[in-house]
Amino acid sequence: MSSLRVLLYRNARTLLPSTLRAQRSYSTLLLKRVSGCSVSAGSVCSLKTRNKNLGFSNSVFVRYKHQTVESENAGNDSEYAEELLYFKRIPGIKSASILLYLFKNKPATESVVSSVAQIYQTLLEHSISPDPTILRNVMFIFNNYDPQLTFKIYDDIEKYGLECDEHVWQNLTYAVFRTLNLPIATKLLNHFTQMKRSVILTPQMCNNLFTVFTHHAKLKEALELYEYMKTHSIPLNKGCFVDLFKVFTNTGPEGYEHGKKLYTLWTNSQLAKDENVANHVLQMFLKCEGMKKAIEVFETFPKIDDPFVWNNMINACLKNGENAKAIAYFKRAVAHNVLADEYTFSGVLMAIANLGPSGLKTGENVHKIAIQKELEFEPAITSSLIQMYDRCEDPHKALEIFEKFIESGHLPNDIILISTLKCCVNIGPHALDTGIQIHKIVKVLKLDSSLSLCNALMQMYDKCGKPSQALKIFDGLAAQYVIPDSLSFVVVLGACSSIGPSALRMGEEIHNLINKREFKREIIITNALMKMYTKCGNPSKAFDFISQGYPTDEATLNLLLTACFMVGPSALELGKQIHNEIVAQKFDSNSTLIGSLIKMYASVGQPHQAIKVFDDSMKNKNFIPNQAAYVSLLMALTSMGSKGLLKGKQAHEQIKQKKYDRGLSVVNSLLQMYEKCGDQNMAIVLYDELKEHGLTPDEFTFAIVLSCLSKVGPSALENGKRVHADFANSPFTSNVSITNALIHMYSECGETNKAIELYDALMASNGKPNELTFSHTLFAISKLEKNGLVKGAKVHQQM
């Protein structure tokens, strides 16, 4: 027999009621059964006799004693089912206390809770007022099963005026805390603040109520409870401080004023060094006053070892764009030997990512620390490392981290996969194999129903040179019961744009699908549709969006100008309307838009208007021309021939001052301008400067320089040979355009035999000459003094 049951048995006479002899005998028998003792025949006979004296017949007692649980207490499978049945026949406070004590030490199962509810209900049905011990035990069991049941006890307390002690109120406030029940919490507050209660709330009870008021952002109630605590000299514990700072943080200026007063109280309390409270203090100042005040408060704290506080500061700096400060806090945390976790590293790595290429060295150092702490393969850190290297313009390193993560046997989550796919997008076609590998992983992990991943995969395939695969993924969304969002449509329309005219029909089908969706007039969708129609060979369709009243932004107007450029002179009037719209919306300081506007006027045969747009923009102090604007201006000047040379030289000087001549697209445009405007000698000067600046000429550069040299004549032969040698040593393979330029240059510069030799080499390699090839070759042959006729006849036959 357990010590507990022995104790209960020995104290049976003092615990059990003495009002009824039969009840006392029943309780003795109950305790013997509960304690595991055998029940003697004498005990049963004694109970029979006393029942008889109370008016019960022997047959009634026998039926009462031996009837089964199934017959009178159906569904109750409790271990003490029979004892509960006895209790329901002869209830009492002491016997109820004993049963509840036993049930209290059992898991709060449905059977136990049902039995407890029967005990409590039996007392009420027999007009027996449960004492505080019974109430708190019933509440304790209910709270462990379903705190909502406790509120029914509270209703009875109010209805019948039941006596309560501190433990009853503790259980009640705990139920309120568990359920976040605002009406009951407010009711309890009113009871204690407006009525004279013999029991005073404890700090823990107040903490339970504060939690509810904090969750619902109830400043008035929180302040009322706070005043109650001060009136009754109830000390604030850690939980009370935390909840008060939370509610003051989320209730605007009024709450913040109280928060500042509480901050002063906290700094003078014994909890001033508590790191959990300190963290919520920081959150309050961050949200209500800003980063500057939060830093000021943080610096007043004693040494803090809790990484959560440091994480809070790092992430706060990150959100406020204070990337350098976030990195500084990380360094301080490491210096203080703070146990940095995955959130610490994630925060600082994102701050470094925001710095771009200048943060790469710092990022590498943080990466080394993560490796030392064996945190490199924590998913949150791995995804942050991938993003950091990608945004610091080292996407190949990001892919290397992903590959190591996979090789180490870890399973990537969707954030890691999406981050890696973005790296593939930035690298382009060379990352296609990695992108395909990720696609396979997505299928294996059955993540292909994730819309975010599908969008990232479509974008990867588009930018890595497989836009048709992006269309297949989009088609497969329906089979996965995945509903595409606006980003899905933007990405798939971008894939159609990459494919070109052959994807026009697919683009139109997607357009029809978009029209059925509620986001059909989102600007991002409009822009994607306009780009698709422009790139797929139907630029005039892009103009319909303006007439149909679709919203526009700078990107929309830029796409419309691109459409005008592709349509040509017939789009001049629309181009003028777009020009007026740019001025009306005060977009005339946008260098990208101005560049497109200049390009549009140049393409529709209005170079003078293009130059005027540039000159007018230069008068705007907010306009800073970018490389694209100068490229468009040079395009307009090129179309003017010799009349554009003077303005072209002025533009060249401006380009030098801004050091835009370090961009290959600008240099190529300058070469083209000088060629068409009649100053071909500048070609070789620009070519040499280009190499001095560390730029690598492309095929277009070689073709333009050779064309310029051919117009200079024999004096340019040596330079021509030098350019030819540079091309031969470049990574480019010879093509018809370069061959034509070389044949023409050698022909014009007096090396006729070399020109014919190049033609013969092209034909021997099964090259495909075009009309210009034959024209330049025949011109070279015409300069031959001997055998020219025979060679010309042979070329004629090949034509």
Side-chain angles (χ1 to χ4, degrees):
M1 186 166 55
S2 69
S3 58
L4 171 62
R5 293 187 174 185
V6 169
L7 180 64
L8 288 173
Y9 181 71
R10 287 177 178 175
N11 291 280
R13 294 186 178 276
T14 58
L15 291 174
L16 296 179
S18 58
T19 54
L20 290 174
R21 296 174 65 195
Q23 187 181 33
R24 183 167 61 248
S25 299
Y26 152 69
S27 299
T28 303
L29 183 63
L30 169 63
L31 281 174
K32 286 186 176 182
R33 291 175 59 82
V34 170
S35 62
C37 297
S38 59
V39 182
S40 66
S43 299
V44 175
C45 292
S46 176
L47 186 56
K48 288 181 182 179
T49 305
R50 285 166 182 164
N51 282 334
K52 185 174 182 181
N53 292 336
L54 287 171
F56 293 109
S57 66
N58 186 58
S59 61
V60 171
F61 170 75
V62 171
R63 185 177 73 247
Y64 160 69
K65 172 68 180 67
H66 294 289
Q67 63 192 168
T68 62
V69 174
E70 289 76 11
S71 62
E72 287 210 13
N73 195 23
N76 191 343
D77 58 351
S78 168
E79 180 182 345
Y80 302 110
E82 196 169 358
E83 285 74 14
L84 180 62
L85 183 60
Y86 296 160
F87 170 79
K88 291 173 71 175
R89 297 301 185 200
I90 312 176
I93 292 294
K94 297 299 182 179
S95 51
S97 297
I98 295 171
L99 282 174
L100 287 173
Y101 191 89
L102 294 172
F103 283 124
K104 182 179 177 182
N105 292 291
K106 288 184 169 294
T109 61
E110 183 178 356
S111 173
V112 168
V113 171
S114 175
S115 298
V116 170
Q118 290 178 51
I119 294 169
Y120 175 74
Q121 192 62 35
T122 299
L123 290 175
L124 293 182
E125 288 174 355
H126 287 78
S127 300
I128 301 174
S129 179
D131 64 10
T133 302
I134 288 178
L135 290 176
R136 76 187 186 206
N137 285 335
V138 172
M139 285 182 169
F140 177 84
I141 294 166
F142 283 176
N143 279 342
N144 287 333
Y145 183 75
D146 181 5
Q148 294 287 353
L149 297 172
T150 300
F151 299 141
K152 296 180 180 179
I153 309 295
Y154 180 49
D155 291 340
D156 291 337
I157 291 173
E158 293 216 295
K159 183 177 179 181
Y160 301 115
L162 303 179
E163 181 185 354
C164 301
D165 62 6
E166 176 185 320
H167 300 288
V168 173
W169 296 112
Q170 177 71 44
N171 277 288
L172 188 53
T173 58
Y174 178 72
V176 170
F177 162 76
R178 285 277 306 276
T179 59
L180 298 173
N181 191 312
L182 181 61
I184 300 294
T186 306
K187 204 171 181 180
L188 282 173
L189 176 64
N190 292 336
H191 281 179
F192 281 92
T193 57
Q194 298 176 12
M195 299 174 65
K196 293 183 179 180
R197 290 278 183 179
S198 58
V199 176
I200 302 298
L201 290 173
T202 65
Q204 185 57 49
M205 294 182 202
C206 295
N207 189 12
N208 290 339
L209 294 176
F210 273 132
T211 301
V212 180
F213 298 142
T214 300
H215 178 78
H216 295 281
K218 293 296 181 180
L219 177 62
K220 177 176 174 294
E221 288 79 358
L223 288 174
E224 194 174 341
L225 179 56
Y226 183 36
E227 289 300 321
Y228 170 87
M229 294 183 73
K230 289 194 289 186
T231 301
H232 292 84
S233 301
I234 304 172
L236 291 168
N237 63 12
K238 180 169 71 173
C240 292
F241 271 117
V242 167
D243 284 327
L244 277 171
F245 279 121
K246 280 183 180 180
V247 75
F248 291 154
T249 300
N250 298 318
T251 49
E254 184 183 356
Y256 180 50
E257 289 302 316
H258 291 287
K260 288 190 286 187
K261 295 177 183 177
L262 183 66
Y263 168 67
T264 303
L265 176 65
W266 172 69
T267 54
N268 296 318
S269 72
Q270 294 180 349
L271 292 168
K273 295 183 179 180
D274 187 276
E275 295 176 344
N276 188 22
V277 181
N279 190 54
H280 288 90
V281 169
L282 286 175
Q283 289 181 353
M284 180 185 73
F285 284 113
L286 280 168
K287 183 172 182 179
C288 299
E289 194 163 336
M291 192 70 210
K292 184 177 179 181
K293 182 65 177 178
I295 291 174
E296 180 185 325
V297 171
F298 179 80
E299 297 301 336
T300 65
F301 291 163
K303 184 177 180 296
I304 295 177
D305 296 323
D306 185 359
F308 194 71
V309 180
W310 291 94
N311 294 349
N312 199 19
M313 288 303 297
I314 291 171
N315 288 316
C317 292
L318 186 62
K319 290 178 182 177
N320 285 274
E322 300 280 355
N323 299 306
K325 286 182 180 178
I327 297 168
Y329 278 120
F330 174 81
K331 290 179 179 178
R332 283 177 60 185
V334 173
H336 283 81
N337 294 319
V338 174
L339 190 62
D341 57 19
E342 57 185 302
Y343 301 104
T344 318
F345 281 96
S346 295
V348 72
L349 286 169
M350 295 315 298
I352 294 168
N354 291 337
L355 297 178
S358 62
L360 181 59
K361 188 67 178 176
T362 305
E364 289 173 343
N365 292 334
V366 173
H367 187 184
K368 289 177 183 177
I369 297 172
I371 293 173
Q372 291 170 1
K373 294 182 177 293
E374 298 183 351
L375 292 172
E376 182 185 15
F377 295 130
E378 285 293 327
I381 295 178
T382 299
S383 63
S384 297
L385 281 169
I386 291 170
Q387 293 177 63
M388 182 274 293
Y389 279 114
D390 183 33
R391 291 168 61 183
C392 289
E393 296 187 2
D394 192 357
H396 294 283
K397 179 66 175 179
L399 294 188
E400 181 183 321
I401 290 172
F402 173 76
E403 289 168 1
K404 285 183 179 179
F405 184 85
I406 298 298
E407 289 171 0
S408 65
H410 291 80
L411 289 178
N413 57 26
D414 54 347
I415 298 175
I416 292 175
L417 294 172
I418 290 171
S419 300
T420 310
L421 287 169
K422 287 181 179 178
C423 294
C424 296
V425 168
N426 293 331
I427 293 173
H430 294 296
L432 179 61
D433 290 341
T434 302
I436 293 173
Q437 179 191 2
I438 294 173
H439 195 176
K440 291 178 180 177
I441 293 172
V442 169
K443 290 180 178 178
V444 170
L445 297 179
K446 297 183 179 180
L447 295 173
D448 44 355
S449 60
S450 166
L451 182 59
S452 299
L453 268 172
C454 288
N455 288 344
L457 282 167
M458 287 192 290
Q459 194 171 27
M460 179 276 296
Y461 277 117
D462 178 27
K463 299 303 181 182
C464 290
K466 290 286 185 180
S468 58
Q469 187 64 32
L471 300 186
K472 290 180 181 179
I473 293 174
F474 182 80
D475 288 338
L477 291 179
Q480 295 287 341
Y481 300 100
V482 178
I483 300 175
D485 59 7
S486 55
L487 180 59
S488 308
F489 286 111
V490 169
V491 172
V492 74
L493 286 169
C496 292
S497 301
S498 300
I499 293 172
S502 62
L504 179 60
R505 184 175 177 181
M506 179 68 174
E508 290 172 338
E509 291 176 359
I510 295 170
H511 189 182
N512 292 333
L513 184 59
I514 290 170
N515 285 334
K516 299 175 183 178
R517 307 294 296 275
E518 58 184 12
F519 47 71
K520 64 181 179 180
R521 289 192 181 264
E522 288 184 16
I523 288 181
I524 188 173
I525 297 287
T526 302
N527 293 345
L529 283 166
M530 291 173 63
K531 182 179 179 182
M532 182 275 295
Y533 280 117
T534 301
K535 297 291 185 181
C536 290
N538 191 7
S540 57
K541 180 70 175 177
F543 303 151
D544 294 343
F545 292 94
I546 300 301
S547 60
Q548 293 173 11
Y550 279 75
T552 59
D553 62 1
E554 292 167 285
T556 315
L557 296 174
N558 193 51
L559 285 164
L560 284 169
L561 288 170
T562 302
C564 292
F565 166 74
M566 295 186 68
V567 170
S570 62
L572 177 60
E573 290 305 315
L574 180 61
K576 290 180 178 179
Q577 292 178 28
I578 298 169
H579 187 178
N580 293 335
E581 188 70 16
I582 290 172
V583 174
Q585 294 195 35
K586 297 182 180 180
F587 291 154
D588 48 351
S589 62
N590 185 313
S591 57
T592 301
L593 264 180
I594 295 301
S596 296
L597 188 60
I598 294 169
K599 186 177 181 180
M600 183 275 297
Y601 277 120
S603 67
V604 298
Q606 297 287 322
H608 294 285
Q609 183 62 31
I611 295 168
K612 184 177 184 303
V613 168
F614 183 84
D615 291 340
D616 290 345
S617 298
M618 291 296 287
K619 296 174 184 176
N620 184 342
K621 63 181 181 180
N622 296 321
F623 175 72
I624 301 175
N626 58 14
Q627 292 188 30
Y630 277 109
V631 168
S632 298
L633 174 64
L634 291 169
M635 174 184 170
L637 295 170
T638 299
S639 67
M640 294 175 65
S642 59
K643 294 179 181 180
L645 181 60
L646 181 60
K647 185 70 176 178
K649 289 183 176 181
Q650 293 173 359
H652 190 180
E653 287 302 316
Q654 294 174 8
I655 288 169
K656 281 184 175 181
Q657 291 173 6
K658 295 181 180 296
K659 296 185 178 180
Y660 287 166
D661 54 343
R662 313 295 169 88
L664 188 59
S665 61
V666 176
V667 174
N668 286 345
S669 296
L670 281 167
L671 285 168
Q672 198 169 24
M673 182 273 295
Y674 279 119
E675 181 203 9
K676 299 297 182 183
C677 294
D679 192 356
Q680 290 83 13
N681 286 314
M682 277 299 296
I684 198 65
V685 175
L686 284 171
Y687 178 76
D688 290 337
E689 287 180 354
L690 176 147
K691 293 194 293 183
E692 288 173 7
H693 294 154
L695 296 176
T696 303
D698 61 11
E699 292 175 283
F700 184 75
T701 312
F702 285 115
I704 290 294
V705 171
L706 290 169
S707 179
C708 288
L709 295 175
S710 66
K711 292 180 180 180
V712 174
S715 62
L717 179 61
E718 291 304 315
N719 285 326
K721 290 180 178 180
R722 181 159 60 89
V723 173
H724 187 185
D726 288 344
F727 178 80
N729 293 324
S730 74
F732 307 111
T733 56
S734 184
N735 55 46
V736 174
S737 298
I738 294 295
T739 301
N740 289 348
L742 285 167
I743 292 172
H744 190 211
M745 183 274 293
Y746 279 116
S747 176
E748 294 290 349
C749 291
E751 286 280 352
T752 305
N753 290 327
K754 182 65 175 177
I756 297 171
E757 181 184 323
L758 288 169
Y759 171 79
D760 291 338
L762 175 68
M763 299 304 292
S765 63
N766 295 320
K768 296 181 179 180
N770 55 23
E771 293 182 6
L772 197 59
T773 313
F774 291 118
S775 175
H776 289 327
T777 304
L778 289 172
F779 180 75
I781 291 171
S782 68
K783 294 183 179 183
L784 291 175
E785 295 180 358
K786 296 181 180 180
N787 300 323
L789 183 60
V790 176
K791 186 65 177 176
K794 184 178 179 181
V795 172
H796 187 192
Q797 186 178 8
Q798 290 172 335
M799 292 172 61

